[in-house]
Amino acid sequence: EDLWNWLDETSERTGAEFVAIPHNSNISKGYMFSETNLRGEPITAEMAATRMEWEPVAEITQFKGDSETHPSLSPDDEFADFETYTHYIQQNAPEYAPVAGDYVRSALLSGLAIENKIGTNPFAFGVIGSTDSHTGLASAEEPNFWGKFPRDTTPFGKTGGWRTGSGGSLGPNGWSMSASGLAAVWAEENTRDSIFKAFKRKETFATSGTRIAVRFFAGYDLSSIDLNSDSLVSQAYDKGVTMGADLMHNEDFSPDFLVWAQKDKNGAPLQRVQIIKGWVDPNSGMPHEKVYDVACSDGMSVDPITNRCPDNGARVNIADCSISQDRGSSELKTIWKDPDFSTKSKSFYYVRVLENPSCRWTTWDAIKAGHKPREDQHETIQERAWTSPIWYIPAKSEVDVIPLGGSVSVVGSD
């Protein structure tokens, strides 16, 4: 909070512009996305607005693990246990205990609930990925991972060596790190000014290190766009909003969501595209989340009952890390409608793209050194990308009067 105040004062005094990016929230012990300030006081509308002014994006993945969600927080999401990091960075650290304030998806849900109370969402952020390397080598490729610290750059230099057990158990060391991630922005041109503006408007996405490209739009006439048209992107901008933006209600119409994902030319083929939805029940105030598969590889279709794609049969040969060459897709496109859409519920939607399985960096290192992979590590992973959300904004049935830091702001309908 003192940082935001300093940014406020410095920007006003000098004209400088800033973006501050919350970092490694998954080990914050709930502080990163807490529903109170550090003094235990409830978040005010003024504080929420200040936070969003300076923190338009948050880090969803990096060397010290994934911050999207945790299996205990999203038990119905079978892909939630991805690069889970369970070590606090401190002396005599307590046992890891994930809480909602640590994770991006929970924070997005919490933001909706807080907004219902105070009129401003403190967690309406986009996402990026980073590495957090302390070597100057921003390595995020599984077969070429250099680790976080200089001692981690060789397999034998990592704390604990190859074996589990005495002296080799996982902890806050090189073996528990993740080869992740990358920040991506959709900017008009490759200039500092254009990229900065993209961060501010949250037209950003993250990957776990692979160079997947993904587009995400929402609107009320996107179904009229030919997905094979050369002008697909320009039409989507004309007819809708993109990642990081709000989509305002349009009478009783249900919006269209357009997704276009392309594989990393050097990475594994794409397996599926998912849309994650979060909303707060307008009657009970309870938050909810749901994962929908919306596009499947290999011409397969989503099961309308389970909302999941069939297994495409992609496999990994652990002996040499070769992957199935005849499974998966180079790109996936679709236009999707939410089958459970409600005009009354403020909601967020973001895209998660999954590649076919491939070897984790620890498996690559083991093979290169002539060892078996560690038994306490996943042998394979599914690289992925996450977009910033799009927020659906319902109509207000009446005028709300919301206190803002001692003053009164009148927020009208439509």
Side-chain angles (χ1 to χ4, degrees):
E1 293 149 41
D2 289 342
L3 170 64
W4 305 331
N5 292 335
W6 183 90
L7 295 174
D8 241 342
E9 184 275 328
T10 305
S11 180
E12 184 175 350
R13 176 169 49 84
T14 67
E17 296 182 282
F18 302 95
V19 169
I21 303 176
H23 160 78
N24 214 192
S25 63
N26 54 315
I27 55 171
S28 72
K29 298 181 180 177
Y31 283 111
M32 186 68 78
F33 304 122
S34 172
E35 295 188 10
T36 66
N37 65 14
L38 289 177
R39 297 167 184 85
E41 302 159 343
I43 294 175
T44 65
E46 183 178 22
M47 176 182 168
T50 299
R51 180 167 193 158
M52 284 297 91
E53 171 68 19
W54 301 119
E55 296 185 2
V57 297
E59 182 188 80
I60 198 170
T61 185
Q62 63 128 278
F63 276 16
K64 293 196 294 295
D66 174 62
S67 294
E68 181 199 9
T69 191
H70 188 276
S72 65
L73 300 172
S74 301
D76 296 327
D77 182 356
E78 63 268 43
F79 299 103
D81 186 16
F82 176 71
E83 293 298 294
T84 303
Y85 187 84
T86 58
H87 313 287
Y88 296 120
I89 309 301
Q90 66 181 86
Q91 295 294 322
N92 302 313
E95 185 176 350
Y96 183 73
V99 294
D102 292 336
Y103 286 89
V104 164
R105 190 186 300 177
S106 298
L108 294 171
L109 286 166
S110 177
L112 295 181
I114 293 172
E115 184 176 14
N116 282 349
K117 299 175 184 177
I118 67 173
T120 307
N121 188 340
F123 305 134
F125 48 72
V127 298
I128 56 99
S130 299
T131 55
D132 193 20
S133 168
H134 287 216
T135 63
L137 303 170
S139 57
E141 298 174 347
E142 302 297 326
N144 193 32
F145 180 54
W146 291 90
K148 181 178 177 67
F149 299 109
R151 67 173 180 267
D152 297 327
T153 55
T154 66
F156 294 98
K158 294 180 177 67
T159 304
W162 290 103
R163 294 181 299 277
T164 59
S166 176
S169 60
L170 291 176
N173 56 54
W175 281 108
S176 55
M177 298 295 171
S178 174
S180 191
L182 295 177
V185 302
W186 289 112
E188 295 83 357
E189 56 188 6
N190 190 19
T191 63
R192 289 174 63 89
D193 183 61
S194 187
I195 292 170
F196 185 88
K197 289 177 180 177
F199 270 81
K200 293 292 281 187
R201 67 175 181 263
K202 300 173 281 193
E203 196 171 354
T204 62
F205 65 96
T207 85
S208 59
T210 184
R211 295 182 181 275
I212 295 170
V214 57
R215 293 280 196 178
F216 184 39
F217 297 92
Y220 296 98
D221 190 28
L222 299 185
S223 58
S224 66
I225 299 176
D226 180 359
L227 289 178
N228 296 313
S229 170
D230 291 339
S231 62
L232 183 156
V233 172
S234 61
Q235 289 186 68
Y237 275 112
D238 289 342
K239 294 174 179 287
V241 301
T242 188
M243 61 184 77
D246 291 343
L247 179 69
M248 307 306 294
H249 76 282
N250 184 3
E251 299 179 349
D252 291 328
F253 292 107
S254 173
D256 303 317
F257 294 90
L258 189 155
V259 187
W260 181 13
Q262 295 173 298
K263 73 179 289 290
D264 179 344
K265 66 178 182 180
N266 296 317
L270 304 181
Q271 184 193 76
R272 69 186 71 210
V273 173
Q274 301 179 309
I275 289 181
I276 288 83
K277 174 188 178 182
W279 74 100
V280 172
D281 186 284
N283 298 315
S284 68
M286 294 296 295
H288 302 276
E289 63 178 73
K290 192 167 184 177
V291 179
Y292 301 87
D293 285 10
V294 300
C296 310
S297 68
D298 304 287
M300 297 187 293
S301 299
V302 178
D303 185 316
I305 305 300
T306 64
N307 295 307
R308 291 293 181 271
C309 295
D311 181 359
N312 69 352
R315 298 292 183 265
V316 181
N317 183 346
I318 300 301
D320 60 6
C321 282
S322 60
I323 62 175
S324 302
Q325 298 296 326
D326 59 347
R327 297 288 188 274
S329 299
S330 59
E331 70 172 8
L332 292 170
K333 297 180 187 178
T334 193
I335 294 174
W336 177 77
K337 277 187 177 290
D338 178 2
D340 306 306
F341 179 73
S342 168
T343 58
K344 298 179 181 180
S345 299
K346 184 166 187 181
S347 313
F348 65 79
Y349 299 83
Y350 68 89
V351 169
R352 184 170 65 188
V353 183
L354 300 180
E355 288 184 356
N356 282 345
S358 57
C359 275
R360 192 176 188 270
W361 72 264
T362 43
T363 305
W364 276 108
D365 272 15
I367 291 171
K368 292 173 183 177
H371 287 262
K372 292 183 178 180
R374 288 180 63 120
E375 296 177 357
D376 51 1
Q377 292 279 13
H378 292 296
E379 292 181 329
T380 66
I381 65 169
Q382 284 189 263
E383 301 273 19
R384 57 196 65 192
W386 307 261
T387 70
S388 293
I390 293 173
W391 287 265
Y392 167 74
I393 312 298
K396 287 186 176 292
S397 59
E398 57 187 17
V399 173
D400 300 322
V401 179
I402 303 168
L404 286 174
S407 61
V408 174
S409 173
V410 179
V411 183
S413 64
D414 298 352

